[in-house]
Amino acid sequence: DIAPSDVYVSSKWGYTYVADWKVELNAGAPHEVKDHSVENFLKQVKETSAHIGEYVNLYQVHSATFESGILSDARVHEALHTCRKENGWKIGLSVSSTSQDELIREAMKITVEDGDKLFDSVQCTYNILEQKPYNALVEAKEANMDII
């Protein structure tokens, strides 16, 4: 057996796989559906907790966007904060669009009831070809966020 203290496990929520393990789908049919609602969060956090909860260290919003509403939904923010308090998990988000820098900065502004920042980490695309989020990542690191 592997003890939870021997590994660092991250999981994400926000997408539901709907393709039934089929590689080819009908035209326009999605493999997965994005849903950053509080109802979906509560469903997926319950599933995560039941299957791997004792191992989870970091629970991330999968592919946060302005359009998904995750950065403006106070009910989701409260649910994420409650998850952190009840489970001891850090809360993070992943971003992967041309607006990564703006998303990171907006996420850094979100605070919870005790005045603490909601997000402990951010995962984004940064490489030799994609360097736009550099300054936002520096700001996130200076604000004590973990960078993935």
Side-chain angles (χ1 to χ4, degrees):
D1 286 346
I2 298 174
S5 61
D6 290 341
V7 294
Y8 191 95
V9 175
S10 173
S11 186
K12 294 182 181 179
W13 75 275
Y15 277 81
T16 301
Y17 183 74
V18 295
D20 196 32
W21 299 107
K22 295 177 184 167
V23 175
E24 296 193 27
L25 303 175
N26 294 332
H31 280 93
E32 56 191 13
V33 175
K34 181 190 284 194
D35 180 357
H36 287 154
S37 68
V38 70
E39 294 81 12
N40 194 47
F41 170 77
L42 294 172
K43 174 183 160 282
Q44 291 188 349
V45 74
K46 183 177 178 182
E47 293 169 346
T48 301
S49 187
H51 291 287
I52 60 170
E54 68 178 314
Y55 288 92
V56 174
N57 301 95
L58 172 62
Y59 204 46
Q60 297 182 91
V61 177
H62 192 302
S63 194
T65 63
F66 289 114
E67 297 77 18
S68 74
I70 185 67
L71 299 178
S72 59
D73 190 334
R75 294 183 324 136
V76 177
H77 302 165
E78 183 57 36
L80 287 165
H81 180 57
T82 298
C83 175
R84 177 171 43 209
K85 288 190 303 186
E86 292 180 355
N87 297 304
W89 302 347
K90 289 186 175 186
I91 301 297
L93 74 160
S94 68
V95 295
S96 60
S97 72
T98 56
S99 302
Q100 291 182 110
D101 55 339
E102 298 166 46
L103 289 161
I104 293 166
R105 287 186 177 109
E106 193 63 29
M108 289 173 54
K109 295 177 187 175
I110 300 170
T111 58
V112 290
E113 66 188 30
D114 54 11
D116 287 340
K117 293 193 180 303
L118 176 60
F119 294 106
D120 300 300
S121 70
V122 62
Q123 177 181 351
C124 84
T125 304
Y126 180 80
N127 56 46
I128 192 131
L129 299 175
E130 174 56 84
Q131 298 200 354
K132 184 179 177 189
Y134 176 80
N135 289 330
L137 290 172
V138 169
E139 293 164 25
K141 186 63 181 166
E142 288 173 350
N144 294 318
M145 290 179 74
D146 294 324
I147 310 299
I148 300 172

